[in-house]
Amino acid sequence: MAIERTFSIIKPDATRRNLTGAINATIEAAGLRIVAQKRIQLSQAQAETFYGVHKERPFFKDLVGFMISGPVVVQVLEGEGAIAKYREVMGATNPANAAAGTIRKEFAESIEANSVHGSDAPETAAVEIAYFFSGLELVG
């Protein structure tokens, strides 16, 4: 497998409960490196643009409202097969279906407040990383 980068968001439900360190420890224990990270407060416009692919879905308004409800931590992760590996570490979107030891099984409050977001493909990762980070901020 090739070394690649993926994008991650630690969502408001997790930052509110001070879980950033615990989630980062899980990420690093899986062999992924955090090569960029910052804590930000998304604006409504930023959240609507970022999640624009879901604009026509019935949950879009609630998703945007949730994502602007508190600070988030945006990250770039790097490692061998990072996209697939991080999706495995995150666990199923619905924490009830997530495997033991995954971030969502251990930390998520619900299917909506599921603690983390991760890119699903190399193309998505590239777009998501560029949305939040300049090349100068990727220091891994």
Side-chain angles (χ1 to χ4, degrees):
M1 283 196 155
I3 299 294
E4 63 185 6
R5 289 182 171 164
T6 192
F7 178 73
S8 167
I9 300 176
I10 300 176
K11 295 180 179 181
D13 63 295
T15 62
R16 179 176 23 85
R17 293 177 290 140
N18 294 318
L19 295 174
T20 302
I23 291 171
N24 283 348
T26 303
I27 290 167
E28 291 176 333
L32 295 168
R33 293 181 52 222
I34 300 166
V35 298
Q37 176 176 266
K38 56 188 169 184
R39 185 180 177 99
I40 63 172
Q41 176 69 53
L42 290 173
S43 69
Q44 182 158 342
Q46 285 173 314
E48 286 175 348
T49 300
F50 184 78
Y51 287 106
V53 67
H54 300 300
K55 191 168 185 84
E56 302 305 318
R57 308 285 288 271
F59 60 81
F60 178 73
K61 185 177 177 184
D62 289 341
L63 173 61
V64 168
F66 168 64
M67 292 303 293
I68 67 172
S69 70
V72 298
V73 175
V74 293
Q75 305 173 305
V76 179
L77 310 178
E78 183 179 81
E80 220 172 280
I83 295 166
K85 182 174 279 189
Y86 187 51
R87 293 194 67 75
E88 182 180 317
V89 170
M90 286 190 307
T93 302
N94 183 344
N97 299 333
T102 62
I103 293 169
R104 289 177 172 153
K105 187 65 162 188
E106 301 303 317
F107 303 118
E109 294 179 315
S110 68
I111 192 169
E112 294 84 15
N114 62 11
S115 298
V116 289
H117 161 88
S119 301
D120 61 0
E123 301 78 19
T124 310
V127 169
E128 292 179 342
I129 290 167
Y131 189 75
F132 288 103
F133 293 96
S134 74
L136 294 173
E137 294 175 296
L138 306 176
V139 295

